[in-house]
Amino acid sequence: MGQASETKTETKSFAGLEAATRDAYGEVLYRLGLENPDIVVLDADLSSSTKTSKFAKAFPERFFNMGVSEQDMMATAAGLSLTGKIPFASTFAIFATGRAWEQIRQSIVYSHLNVKIVATHGGITVGEDGASHQAIEDIALMRVIPDMTVIVPADAYETEQVITEIVKFHGPVYVRLGRAKVKPVMPQDYRFTIGKAYAFDIGRDINIIACGVMVREALLAREILNKKGIHTGVINMSTIKPLDGEMLTLVACARLIVTAEEHSIIGGLGGAVSEFLSETMPRPILRIGIRDTFGCSGSSSELMEYFGLTGEQIAQTILNKWSEVTESEDKSLVSRRSRGSLV
């Protein structure tokens, strides 16, 4: 029932390839469908955009177009999971996490059901569709739900591994993907593990913790800062929840911690890192992202620049903060010496 034709699928990896994360999702979902007959896919009339259309064509009896009815889609996915299926529910991030939040909380996560919510078109790089379609709150909305796993892959290669891994993981998962093509950043020997971050390197002075498209921008910022003699590391925190506390403890040795995300700085990666470090190893923290405002219309590159999210802009923002940090450290040192001289 619902089996694909005898034509073999290509198994070419996305390692080193420039591609949209949603494209990797569609391709890997199709491959997994060939291997696992329990995988079913639901979409809200957007399969050509979310890239679930390839699965739909190959397995029509395992694909359900729910129409513009996201709440019904999530509730139906919950029901399918109770029959032993592994449902993937996809639509745009703004609709998945906004319109259907109650159904996700009540019908899926509260009962710890094995539903995979893979939402595309997250963040401002949606582009010209504008603020109404730019989800900059979705990570916060999903992270706050108890027992929800939240993942934001950095490139197509990591997306390929994420989708493969969440099939093996039992429980509700939210994966945020993008619309625009992204350049590859993860090395070919990289292996994704839920709850584990990846350190490109660890800086003595500054560590930038990033997710999604911001990983590449963080790497560009690192180059600029290192050339100025500021030793900077970059960490890909693709699993926002559960956070990799071991990695955060390791990178907190730096004098400044920076978070970078294509999301509101409220409640997303920056919030998660700040919450963790404030209770364990308090450090100066700079959160880079969307600052309590809605998105707007423009190309993805124009909007990245408009919101100060390019590598060059990130480097300059960090330099401004770095001046404050070093000045504060100098004043603290003078104060300690002064107190010591009075003893």
Side-chain angles (χ1 to χ4, degrees), residues 234-285:
V234 172
I235 291 83
N236 173 18
M237 188 68 71
S238 52
T239 305
I240 310 297
K241 185 183 177 184
L243 275 178
D244 187 344
E246 183 178 351
M247 178 65 75
L248 285 178
T249 301
L250 187 63
V251 303
C253 62
R255 297 157 68 187
L256 174 64
I257 301 299
V258 180
T259 60
E261 59 193 312
E262 187 200 1
H263 182 274
S264 171
I265 61 170
I266 302 169
L269 173 63
V273 171
S274 297
E275 290 162 14
F276 179 88
L277 291 180
S278 68
E279 294 181 345
T280 55
M281 301 179 68
R283 288 289 185 278
I285 296 178

Side-chain angles (χ1 to χ4, degrees), residues 113-140:
L113 298 184
N114 192 30
V115 176
K116 318 306 176 186
I117 302 164
V118 183
T120 67
H121 293 63
I124 58 166
T125 49
V126 169
E128 290 82 356
D129 287 354
S132 64
H133 282 59
Q134 292 166 355
I136 56 173
E137 315 89 352
D138 57 313
I139 296 173

Side-chain angles (χ1 to χ4, degrees), residues 113-289:
L113 298 184
N114 192 30
V115 176
K116 318 306 176 186
I117 302 164
V118 183
T120 67
H121 293 63
I124 58 166
T125 49
V126 169
E128 290 82 356
D129 287 354
S132 64
H133 282 59
Q134 292 166 355
I136 56 173
E137 315 89 352
D138 57 313
I139 296 173
L141 288 168
M142 293 294 99
R143 188 172 77 88
V144 75
I145 303 177
D147 196 38
M148 176 65 95
T149 295
V150 180
I151 304 171
V152 186
D155 61 10
Y157 183 44
E158 185 170 35
T159 302
E160 179 180 13
Q161 297 193 38
V162 166
I163 302 305
T164 302
E165 286 302 306
I166 64 174
V167 171
K168 306 172 189 175
F169 174 81
H170 185 89
V173 179
Y174 176 72
V175 180
R176 182 206 225 206
L177 303 179
R179 177 186 191 182
K181 286 186 177 182
V182 291
K183 293 184 182 299
V185 293
M186 303 309 294
Q188 294 197 12
D189 62 352
Y190 169 70
R191 295 296 177 266
F192 171 79
T193 301
I194 294 174
K196 291 297 180 182
Y198 175 83
F200 290 89
D201 48 18
I202 296 177
R204 293 187 302 272
D205 296 320
I206 297 171
N207 281 310
I208 308 173
I209 302 169
C211 64
V213 299
M214 297 304 293
V215 173
R216 179 174 182 272
E217 302 303 328
L219 291 169
L220 294 174
R222 178 193 63 173
E223 293 181 15
I224 296 170
L225 295 169
N226 281 339
K227 287 178 181 178
K228 293 182 178 294
I230 304 171
H231 192 255
T232 303
V234 172
I235 291 83
N236 173 18
M237 188 68 71
S238 52
T239 305
I240 310 297
K241 185 183 177 184
L243 275 178
D244 187 344
E246 183 178 351
M247 178 65 75
L248 285 178
T249 301
L250 187 63
V251 303
C253 62
R255 297 157 68 187
L256 174 64
I257 301 299
V258 180
T259 60
E261 59 193 312
E262 187 200 1
H263 182 274
S264 171
I265 61 170
I266 302 169
L269 173 63
V273 171
S274 297
E275 290 162 14
F276 179 88
L277 291 180
S278 68
E279 294 181 345
T280 55
M281 301 179 68
R283 288 289 185 278
I285 296 178
L286 171 63
R287 295 172 298 158
I288 294 176

Side-chain angles (χ1 to χ4, degrees), residues 14 30 36 42 62 84 104 108 121 150 154 168 178 181 193 233 244 270 287 293 300 324:
F14 280 87
Y30 165 68
N36 190 336
L42 302 87
R62 290 157 55 192
I104 292 172
I108 295 174
H121 293 63
V150 180
K168 306 172 189 175
K181 286 186 177 182
T193 301
D244 187 344
R287 295 172 298 158
T293 187
S300 58
E324 296 177 13

